């Protein structure tokens, strides 16, 4: 597994988003643990979770507790695994996603996350989303206090603009190490944020990185299907009623499928490799709910796309 830099640490070039293991449609715990273990076996050392990854209306932290069990039951070495979690969102019974960026909430949420994960300190803690009712500097200030207290080791922000990233950097300095925004073949409106992260040396962790690549396209001899992705609510373009990709999706993203056929791999693997080539600071965090999906995503770190491939996939 190739490595990339995140806050001075060397982590796997592809991480694992854990949201699909705890929200609607999640697998049973046996398969969920097997999925995390498969990713670890494949060399993944970045696990992305959040306290709000749980069924609607349930107690916060289902996914974090799952991560703790997965690491505790894994037979290999987990010393270099970086667990990244997030605070500032909630999931009430109606299934919506709420926002609470108050310093009091964030500090209490981080302490609760730390207890659930069973770590000495949270490796990477991220503000899940700016709260429009709370000054952004106040929310980021809570991250600074958590860093100073040793509750967290590194800090990041998610779903943020260029201006907010610069403001967070002004408060946290070099202790701001990551930005987690939505970015995929289908959704590229965080291009300015990606460029800024490259300029500042911040890891850019695209959530829902497989948007636009149909899930069903992997069904067949090339490997097992890759599931949805993590990092926040939402995902890619869904398949049609028959389970296959719609004509519009095929037309728009056909190059990913064509390149995949030529390499003998899945379109999802090509999409992740393409993302990695957008910038040396990009670390995709695709989700998975099956071991074969986690293995296929991890293999994207070693997929080499030619200049011709990249030209066909587009800017």
């Amino acid at each position: 597994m190739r490595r990339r830099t995140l806050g001075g640490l060397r982590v796997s070039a592809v991480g694992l988003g854990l949201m699909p293991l705890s929200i609607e449609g999640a697998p049973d715990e046996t398969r969920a643990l097997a999925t995390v273990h498969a990713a670890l076996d494949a060399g993944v050392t970045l696990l992305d979770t959040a306290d709000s990854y749980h069924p609607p209306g349930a107690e916060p932290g289902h996914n974090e507790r799952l991560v703790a069990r997965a690491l505790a039951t894994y037979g290999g070495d987990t010393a270099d695994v970086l667990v990244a979690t997030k605070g500032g969102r909630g999931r009430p019974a109606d299934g919506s996603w709420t926002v609470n960026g108050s310093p009091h909430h964030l500090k209490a949420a981080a302490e609760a996350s730390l207890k659930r994960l069973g770590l000495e300190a949270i490796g990477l803690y991220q503000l899940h989303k700016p709260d429009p009712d709370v000054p952004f500097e106040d929310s980021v200030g809570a991250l600074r206090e958590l860093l100073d207290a040793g509750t967290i080791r590194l800090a990041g922000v998610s779903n943020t603009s260029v201006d907010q990233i610069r403001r967070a950097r002004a408060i946290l300095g070099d202790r701001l190490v990551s930005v987690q925004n939505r970015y995929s073949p289908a959704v590229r409106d965080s291009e300015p944020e990606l460029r800024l992260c490259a300029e500042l040396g911040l890891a850019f962790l695209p959530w829902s990185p497989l948007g636009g690549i149909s899930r069903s396209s992997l069904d067949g001899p090339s490997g097992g299907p890759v599931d949805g992705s993590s990092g926040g609510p939402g995902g890619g373009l869904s398949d049609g009623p028959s389970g296959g990709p719609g004509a519009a999706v095929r037309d728009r993203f056909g190059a990913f499928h064509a390149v995949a056929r030529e390499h003998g791999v899945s379109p999802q693997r090509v999409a992740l490799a393409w993302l990695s080539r957008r910038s040396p600071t990009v670390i995709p965090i695709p989700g998975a709910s099956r071991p074969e999906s986690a293995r296929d995503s991890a293999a994207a770190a070693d997929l080499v796309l030619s200049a011709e491939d990249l030209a066909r996939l587009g800017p």
Side-chain angles (χ1 to χ4, degrees):
M1 169 71 75
R2 298 187 185 197
R3 299 288 178 118
R4 291 203 161 174
T5 300
L6 192 160
L9 303 175
R10 297 291 286 171
V11 300
S12 56
V14 175
L16 178 68
L18 296 160
M19 185 174 73
L21 301 179
S22 291
I23 64 168
E24 298 87 329
D28 61 37
E29 182 164 310
T30 299
R31 197 174 88 187
L33 293 175
T35 299
V36 181
H37 291 167
L40 296 174
D41 286 341
V44 169
T45 62
L46 174 61
L47 302 180
D48 179 79
T49 181
D51 61 359
S52 58
Y53 294 167
H54 59 77
E59 180 184 357
H62 178 277
N63 202 248
E64 292 173 325
R65 288 188 288 270
L66 179 68
V67 172
R69 289 193 293 274
L71 293 175
T73 58
Y74 182 60
D77 184 11
T78 61
D80 62 345
V81 173
L82 176 65
V83 177
T85 191
K86 298 179 287 294
R89 304 212 73 174
R91 292 211 74 197
D94 64 3
S96 62
W97 295 84
T98 58
V99 183
N100 186 346
S102 75
H104 175 76
H105 173 78
L106 290 172
K107 287 184 282 188
E111 292 287 353
S113 291
L114 177 61
K115 184 176 180 179
R116 286 188 290 263
L117 291 168
L119 303 170
E120 293 183 2
I122 296 173
L124 172 61
Y125 193 70
Q126 303 160 98
L127 174 65
H128 206 153
K129 186 176 183 179
D131 186 340
D133 295 325
V134 175
F136 183 67
E137 281 74 11
D138 290 355
S139 298
V140 177
L143 299 184
R144 182 177 57 193
E145 291 184 35
L146 289 166
L147 285 163
D148 291 342
T151 307
I152 67 176
R153 293 200 170 103
L154 301 168
V157 292
S158 180
N159 299 299
T160 45
S161 66
V162 163
D163 175 65
Q164 289 168 331
I165 295 169
R166 291 193 183 279
R167 287 156 62 192
R169 176 83 164 191
I171 294 170
L172 299 175
D174 291 341
R175 294 189 293 179
L176 176 72
V177 301
S178 67
V179 173
Q180 188 173 135
N181 278 14
R182 188 177 186 181
Y183 192 87
S184 69
V187 181
R188 308 187 191 185
D189 51 3
S190 277
E191 189 76 33
E193 290 75 21
L194 187 157
R195 289 197 298 269
L196 178 61
C197 286
E199 174 189 325
L200 298 177
L202 304 176
F204 185 85
L205 314 178
W207 63 264
S208 280
L210 299 176
I213 307 300
S214 85
R215 296 184 184 130
S216 64
S217 61
L218 255 179
D219 294 336
S222 62
V226 171
D227 305 291
S229 47
S230 182
L237 303 178
S238 61
D239 295 337
S242 65
V249 173
R250 286 197 303 269
D251 290 344
R252 185 177 178 191
F253 305 106
F256 287 88
H257 294 258
V259 171
R261 285 193 297 271
E262 292 166 12
H263 282 271
V265 300
S266 69
Q268 286 86 351
R269 198 183 302 185
V270 171
L272 296 173
W274 171 82
L275 278 167
S276 295
R277 289 295 299 271
R278 303 299 293 146
S279 164
T281 67
V282 169
I283 307 172
I285 46 171
S289 61
R290 287 175 285 192
E292 59 267 33
S293 306
R295 286 190 288 266
D296 188 79
S297 291
D302 296 316
L303 176 60
V304 178
L305 299 175
S306 68
E308 181 183 351
D309 292 332
L310 294 169
R312 292 166 64 190
L313 297 174

